[in-house]
Amino acid sequence: MLLLTSEFSAMDIVADIQDLYKDNKWREIVARYHDHPERNKVLWVYPSEENFIFVKDCLAELLCDRIVSIGCGSGLLEWMITEATGVPVSGIEVDGAWWSCKYAPPNFIPLHITPTDIDKETISIIQRNKNAALLFCYFNNRKAFEDYLKYYNGNVLIIIGPHEKGVHTDPKPFNDVTDTWTIYKYQEIRNSGDFIVVYKKQNV
Ligand SMILES: C[S@@+](CC[C@H](N)C(=O)[O-])C[C@H]1O[C@@H](n2cnc3c(N)ncnc32)[C@H](O)[C@@H]1O
């Protein structure tokens, strides 16, 4: 089979990340790939140790003991969060051709696959534990975002995404949620222009 150069390099990244994952070397994954030109093939952000501690501290302060990540993609971020903080993270992805396509990245956590229109099983996952924070990283689907928030009955929302760097996400990390949510704390991921923004429900 003839492979293009870009296919070779993407496969190398994926294979190397898989090897590091098998050896539980999340720090090495971040160190090697946080500014790699093909990093988005597997994950959009590669938080530093300080960023993971920030997430862990926010969750502890807001009495959250787990995360449900919507649109988790490969689940690499979710796996790294658990490795770095000890906080369990479940991942939800939408059903579609991409996840069964041969170029799809591997999964680093088990995925719950949901239909485009949120179903009962997915709703039960996001409502199962009131102490779970809801995470959206580089999410890009406003209608689905609003649907998930409609059913989420917890108090903590985390949005990770680009701020003023010419990349589109929906929601954006800042100034893109209703008044129900107020910013609790935020931190930049290294100096990438990507931000982790932790919101809490008003009056909580
Ligand atoms: C830009 S990707 C980000 C993936 C991953 N969070 C990351 O940072 O690498 C956005 C993801 O949201 C997923 N998505 C879109 N609509 C969704 C929905 N209704 N429910 C769950 N996931 C959805 C897409 O399939 C895609 O994997």
Side-chain angles (χ1 to χ4, degrees):
M1 181 176 54
L2 186 63
L3 288 177
L4 301 172
T5 316
S6 62
E7 286 174 323
F8 266 126
S9 58
M11 282 170 58
D12 291 345
I13 292 170
V14 174
D16 192 39
I17 288 181
Q18 277 184 291
D19 285 346
L20 293 167
Y21 161 79
K22 284 178 198 144
D23 292 338
N24 288 321
K25 293 186 172 166
W26 66 267
R27 287 184 183 81
E28 189 59 32
I29 293 176
V30 172
R32 245 181 240 184
Y33 291 109
H34 72 269
D35 58 357
H36 191 284
E38 304 240 34
R39 63 192 177 281
N40 299 352
K41 302 260 181 197
V42 185
L43 172 62
W44 281 81
V45 296
Y46 291 72
S48 65
E49 187 139 18
E50 185 195 351
N51 295 141
F52 285 119
I53 291 169
F54 167 77
V55 170
K56 182 180 181 176
D57 289 348
C58 286
L59 292 174
E61 289 156 19
L62 293 167
L63 307 177
C64 284
D65 57 11
R66 57 187 55 240
I67 296 174
V68 177
S69 174
I70 312 293
C72 62
S74 70
L76 179 61
L77 174 66
E78 291 67 16
W79 173 75
M80 292 199 293
I81 291 174
T82 302
E83 288 296 303
T85 68
V87 174
V89 188
S90 4
I92 295 179
E93 251 303 328
V94 73
D95 196 8
W98 170 239
W99 290 106
S100 50
C101 141
K102 65 176 177 170
Y103 298 114
N107 302 137
F108 298 93
I109 59 168
L111 301 184
H112 171 77
I113 301 290
T114 183
T116 313
D117 288 327
I118 189 165
D119 65 353
K120 272 189 185 161
E121 207 184 330
T122 309
I123 293 169
S124 86
I125 292 173
I126 63 173
Q127 291 186 338
R128 194 169 292 157
N129 188 324
K130 209 166 176 290
N131 296 331
L134 209 59
L135 165 65
F136 294 84
C137 178
Y138 263 79
F139 200 65
N140 217 342
N141 183 339
R142 169 60 55 163
K143 182 186 175 303
F145 172 70
E146 286 171 0
D147 282 348
Y148 282 109
L149 280 190
K150 194 167 71 192
Y151 290 110
Y152 174 59
N153 52 12
N155 298 319
V156 180
L157 167 67
I158 305 174
I159 300 178
I160 301 179
H163 180 58
E164 297 178 347
K165 62 182 270 191
V167 182
H168 175 79
T169 59
D170 195 353
K172 298 188 286 298
F174 293 104
N175 306 316
D176 213 13
V177 292
T178 64
D179 292 347
T180 318
W181 299 95
T182 50
I183 290 183
Y184 177 65
K185 284 182 184 172
Y186 63 87
Q187 188 176 73
E188 187 172 11
I189 296 183
R190 218 170 283 95
N191 57 353
S192 63
D194 292 316
F195 282 77
I196 303 168
V197 186
V198 179
Y199 291 87
K200 67 172 191 161
K201 212 171 254 174
Q202 283 272 29
N203 307 321
V204 171

